[in-house]
Amino acid sequence: MAELLRARALAFGYDRRALTAPIDLVLHPGEIVVVLGPNGSGKSTLFRTLLGTVAPLAGSVHWGGRVLAELAPRELAARVAWVPQQPGAAFEFSVEQYVMLGRLGRLGTGAAPGRIDREAVARSIGRLGLERFRSRLLSKMSGGERQLAAIARALAQQASTLLLDEPVASPDFGNQGRVLDTLRSLADDGLGIAYATHDPNHALRAGTNALVYLPGGTTAFGPVEALIEPEVLTRVYGARVEVARTAGGRPVFALAATASPQAAATSPQSGVGPSQAGER
């Protein structure tokens, strides 16, 4: 199967200091790579390195079999579309105008959008369920709605891969599911998807492979079923993670509850009951 993205022995970071040990990952059409790790572990820096806005410290990045450094901007735009964590609303764009920005990488110098561009924008807006917001100003939308518009803009670019930095950080609970189901549907259509998240349950809902950041600057890359499990997640987040199952058998991960100091002091295991505690 053709490779959309390949990172080989990739070291990334700033000021010649690598944030992790060198990583290897691959993305094929129809796959979703989920990047999990705590805050400050380097997920966003990895994505910027894959896009070429941050130079790698070592190793290589290939898009569609081509070395990243050899790709012209229009060639890269045909291979990957980027969705930042916080889409800006600095300009008074309507949703339709904003999504049209995704077509700029496809236009020649000085060329105006044509019928094909307008149709691509309309399809993208419809795919994200934003038809009723078509004329609404981005600055008048909630953070979650702007996130959906940013995904629509990336989709209008018609790249073979979508790269998203925490796409479900802003949407409300219902829209989180909608975004994840949309990503899974896009992968079913043959796109490659890579996104970052803090929530392992997202990886189960929309994920093929996972790249997880482990203590000590190491990482692991492999199938979601192998890496999204309590022991690994406990190492990733430095807190005990438990798994439960829904009535339908679907696993759900959560942080283990910790007893309060007062509860611990009065628990049967402590050997000190409420009356004993008051008789000291």
Side-chain angles (χ1 to χ4, degrees):
M1 186 184 298
E3 294 180 356
L4 297 176
L5 168 65
R6 164 76 72 170
R8 289 191 175 95
L10 181 65
F12 56 93
Y14 297 100
D15 300 324
R16 293 181 291 182
R17 183 180 69 86
L19 296 178
T20 71
I23 68 168
D24 292 275
L25 66 84
V26 63
L27 176 68
H28 298 99
E31 292 181 345
I32 301 176
V33 170
V34 186
V35 182
L36 280 98
N39 285 332
S41 57
K43 301 185 297 295
S44 297
T45 305
L46 167 62
F47 283 168
R48 294 188 187 105
T49 305
L50 295 176
L51 291 166
T53 56
V54 173
L57 301 179
S60 61
V61 177
H62 295 74
W63 287 101
R66 298 272 305 280
V67 177
L68 171 62
E70 297 177 353
L71 293 171
R74 288 188 66 184
E75 292 177 312
L76 184 61
R79 287 165 170 79
V80 59
W82 167 241
V83 180
Q85 183 178 348
Q86 296 292 340
F91 300 99
E92 288 296 301
F93 287 127
S94 68
V95 168
E96 188 171 32
Q97 291 169 330
Y98 180 68
V99 175
M100 183 61 78
L101 294 178
R103 300 298 300 169
L104 295 182
R106 294 286 192 171
L107 299 176
T109 303
R115 178 181 56 83
I116 292 176
D117 303 298
R118 290 188 292 273
E119 289 175 350
V121 166
R123 284 195 302 271
S124 300
I125 289 175
R127 189 69 179 266
L128 272 296
L130 294 171
E131 295 94 338
R132 70 185 188 279
F133 298 118
R134 182 186 299 271
S135 300
R136 183 170 298 184
L137 294 179
L138 212 64
S139 60
K140 304 299 183 184
M141 299 175 74
S142 69
E145 291 165 346
R146 285 200 300 270
Q147 188 71 46
L148 294 172
I151 297 173
R153 185 187 71 168
L155 191 58
Q157 190 173 316
Q158 294 183 310
S160 55
T161 299
L162 297 185
L163 204 60
L164 309 98
D165 192 2
E166 299 193 31
V168 287
S170 296
D172 60 35
F173 193 65
N175 278 327
Q176 286 182 22
R178 191 160 126 226
V179 168
L180 292 170
D181 291 346
T182 297
L183 295 181
R184 190 170 59 185
S185 175
L186 293 171
D188 289 343
D189 288 346
L191 269 68
I193 310 287
Y195 72 94
T197 182
H198 294 293
D199 191 335
N201 295 298
H202 296 161
L204 294 180
R205 183 159 181 158
T208 308
N209 293 311
L211 175 71
V212 297
Y213 286 63
L214 299 169
T218 61
T219 61
F221 178 74
V224 161
E225 314 84 64
L227 292 176
I228 307 304
E229 58 90 28
E231 183 178 346
V232 173
L233 295 173
T234 296
R235 293 177 61 200
V236 169
Y237 295 108
R240 190 159 64 90
V241 175
E242 296 179 333
V243 62
R245 295 194 177 272
T246 66
R250 182 171 59 87
V252 178
F253 293 98
L255 292 177
T258 56
S260 66
Q262 181 180 3
T266 59
S267 68
Q269 289 83 356
S270 70
V272 180
S275 60
Q276 292 172 296
E279 292 172 355
R280 294 175 181 262

